Amino acid sequence: KTEIREGSVVLGADVSAFGRNLTVASGALADCSAAGLEIESLTLEDGAAIKVDLGKPIVIADNGSLELGGEITVYVDGMTGGNFTLFETDEALSADDLAKIKIVNNENDYYYSLVIDGNAVKLDVLYHPAADVSWKAENSGEWNTADNWEGGAPYPNDTAIFGNSAAVKDVVVSSVERV
């Protein structure tokens, strides 16, 4: 068993020297971005961090376990649009598991959502460069309704433009996901 209690450790393709069970403590970082990782168990304590490269998942094999002890941070390298497996395990995962994961990347114009696909945690990534979008609805409407905008509903990096046509109308923001 290997425990990373503080600082960071870069893990390569052959981690057998470290054992097949890995625990990352609060404030510590396991950098698996070079080659992904295949181990028997992974425990990420509350406040732990792990770094991955898209296309190089962390596989928990041999009926091992993935334990998320609280909020964890996943740093993502190699951001590009698509659907990518972050963690793959033999055990069932839940929406509660997803709620514990915070994704961080240093690249602009990418938007993502975490989903459970069978026994995997996947990251759906959309590339959306900044754009100007104009309100075109003739009446009041919902912010997130694409048909109310020229160019679709705005993303956080877009500039939302309201001309005179929206001066006396209500724009309803029912979700802050894309405001």
Side-chain angles (χ1 to χ4, degrees):
K1 177 178 181 176
T2 299
E3 295 186 17
I4 303 171
R5 288 278 156 218
E6 59 184 50
S8 63
V9 174
V10 177
L11 302 170
D14 182 11
V15 295
S16 59
F18 292 102
R20 302 221 358 118
N21 302 296
L22 177 63
T23 298
V24 183
S26 179
L29 168 71
D31 184 344
C32 306
S33 62
L37 189 62
E38 184 170 332
I39 57 178
E40 289 178 11
S41 72
L42 174 62
T43 301
L44 299 169
E45 296 178 358
D46 186 26
I50 194 158
K51 186 175 183 182
V52 298
D53 191 334
L54 296 181
K56 298 174 184 172
I58 297 171
V59 177
I60 315 316
D62 303 323
N63 294 313
S65 65
L66 171 63
E67 295 180 34
L68 305 177
E71 184 175 302
I72 63 158
T73 301
V74 177
Y75 293 95
V76 178
D77 277 351
M79 190 64 82
T80 185
N83 181 279
F84 305 93
T85 300
L86 296 179
F87 301 104
E88 188 175 319
T89 181
D90 291 335
E91 63 186 18
L93 299 166
S94 70
D96 290 340
D97 293 323
L98 288 186
K100 296 176 183 178
I101 300 172
K102 174 184 167 189
I103 301 293
V104 175
N105 76 71
N106 293 325
E107 300 178 44
N108 295 325
D109 302 333
Y110 288 94
Y111 299 90
Y112 47 84
S113 61
L114 287 167
V115 295
I116 295 175
D117 183 6
N119 290 348
V121 174
K122 293 196 173 188
L123 183 68
D124 287 335
V125 181
L126 170 72
Y127 173 71
H128 178 83
D132 291 342
V133 293
S134 298
W135 182 261
K136 71 174 186 174
E138 293 183 21
N139 297 309
S140 299
E142 290 277 336
W143 177 277
N144 288 334
T145 301
D147 289 342
N148 290 336
W149 299 91
E150 292 288 339
Y155 282 80
N157 63 337
D158 288 340
T159 300
I161 300 170
F162 294 93
N164 289 336
S165 65
V168 294
K169 297 179 180 123
D170 294 322
V171 177
V172 179
V173 178
S174 57
S175 170
V176 295
E177 291 174 14
R178 292 177 51 181
V179 176

